[in-house]
Amino acid sequence: MVDGDFIARRILLTNDDGIDAPGLAALVEIAATLAPEIWVVAPEQDQSGTSHALSLHDPLRVVQRGERRYGVTGTPGDCVVMGVSHLMADQPPDLILSGVNRGANLGMETVFSGTVGAAMTGLLLGIPSIALSQLFTRDQPVRWETARALAPAVIRAMSRLDWARDACLNINFPDCPPEQAGGPVLTSQGAGLLGGAAITARTDPRNGAYHWLSLTRSSTTDDEGTETEAVLSGKVSVTPLRFERTDQGVLERMRAVQARS
């Protein structure tokens, strides 16, 4: 990243809510304060819940939506690869920003998040990558102004810390006016608020069965120092994430049992 008013020369933006999502419009405004050259490569359709998926069995089509603005018929991960390895191949981005997601990505939910998945794909490609998400209350307007106002300073602060070689960042903004928000605080992932998954079965007008899958939420609070605890208390949380997910405690327990067998 470069010194001066900007922290990068060129930034690649993507999301999982789709190229016309209001969170992406907010991200464009955020990025404009951080780099002189902004590229948008985002899914043509909503790709929420696609995690790190890459389209290995289907062709990708790219639609130019404006100067340095492209829609892709694929996942957020596809968009990152398309941007870095094709559209920007001659001059790759110095930074990838994914979001701003409509809704927080906390705890176990980061495993399923296309927003986080895009940042993880950037990590795979060796480019500093950050996922940004805005917590909101159901049936209430999303406070895009909070992420829009706070993100530039948070990203600038994080750019001075040593993380980009080994992790991507997951940043969540609280559901409060920007002037009331605290932080940013460095947090661990924790369990989050994901309670499970459910199926709703219905019948269409032609008497055919169809099913909606949805995620269920937990009302429990997470441990101190986790991103969920921070965001629900009105703070901006910043969590470094990596691909390595080995549970060392369970691994050692299994080895101990195996040794006694």
Side-chain angles (χ1 to χ4, degrees):
M1 300 183 189
V2 299
D3 297 326
D5 291 338
F6 293 124
I7 66 169
R9 296 177 181 85
R10 60 192 61 85
I11 298 179
L12 172 61
L13 308 183
T14 193
N15 71 348
D16 73 355
D17 290 330
I19 194 166
D20 296 316
L24 185 59
L27 191 61
V28 170
E29 295 184 41
I30 292 165
T33 71
L34 304 173
E37 186 175 313
I38 308 300
W39 290 68
V40 174
V41 184
E44 278 287 291
Q45 305 294 331
D46 192 327
Q47 294 286 326
S48 299
T50 54
S51 187
H52 315 80
L54 297 175
S55 299
L56 302 180
H57 303 286
D58 297 294
L60 299 174
R61 301 191 186 278
V62 180
V63 179
Q64 186 161 7
R65 297 287 209 94
E67 184 180 5
R68 298 196 295 268
R69 184 178 180 89
Y70 298 87
V72 177
T73 59
T75 67
D78 293 335
C79 293
V80 170
V81 177
M82 182 66 69
V84 173
S85 302
H86 182 63
L87 296 171
M88 303 177 68
D90 292 337
Q91 293 184 308
D94 307 297
L95 176 66
I96 296 172
L97 300 179
S98 178
V100 175
N101 191 67
R102 182 178 180 271
N105 279 300
L106 304 168
M108 290 184 289
E109 204 160 350
T110 60
V111 176
F112 303 99
S113 166
T115 303
V116 174
M120 296 294 281
T121 304
L123 172 62
L124 175 68
L125 298 178
I127 297 172
S129 301
I130 301 175
L132 303 102
S133 302
Q134 176 63 56
L135 179 68
F136 75 100
T137 302
R138 188 169 182 172
D139 299 325
Q140 297 295 322
V142 181
R143 296 182 189 271
W144 299 118
E145 69 276 9
T146 298
R148 193 161 46 234
L150 300 179
V154 174
I155 294 171
R156 287 177 184 277
M158 293 305 112
S159 72
R160 295 190 287 269
L161 306 181
D162 184 17
W163 54 269
R165 291 168 298 178
D166 306 305
C168 65
L169 298 185
N170 183 37
I171 300 179
N172 284 277
F173 298 93
D175 183 23
C176 64
E179 63 273 13
Q180 295 179 14
V185 293
L186 297 176
T187 52
S188 61
Q189 180 178 305
L193 301 175
L194 185 62
I199 294 290
T200 300
R202 295 178 180 172
T203 304
D204 66 27
R206 295 193 176 189
N207 206 36
Y210 68 99
H211 305 83
W212 279 108
L213 187 151
S214 61
L215 300 177
T216 59
R217 308 293 177 183
S218 168
S219 59
T220 59
T221 57
D222 215 337
D223 295 335
E224 184 177 355
T226 62
E227 53 197 7
T228 304
E229 184 267 338
V231 171
L232 293 184
S233 64
K235 301 182 181 71
V236 178
S237 70
V238 181
T239 307
L241 300 178
R242 60 179 183 171
F243 287 107
E244 168 62 54
R245 293 178 181 168
T246 305
D247 188 315
Q248 293 295 334
V250 172
L251 178 61
E252 293 305 316
R253 189 166 70 238
M254 293 174 68
R255 285 172 172 168
V257 173
Q258 184 182 51
R260 295 195 299 267
S261 305

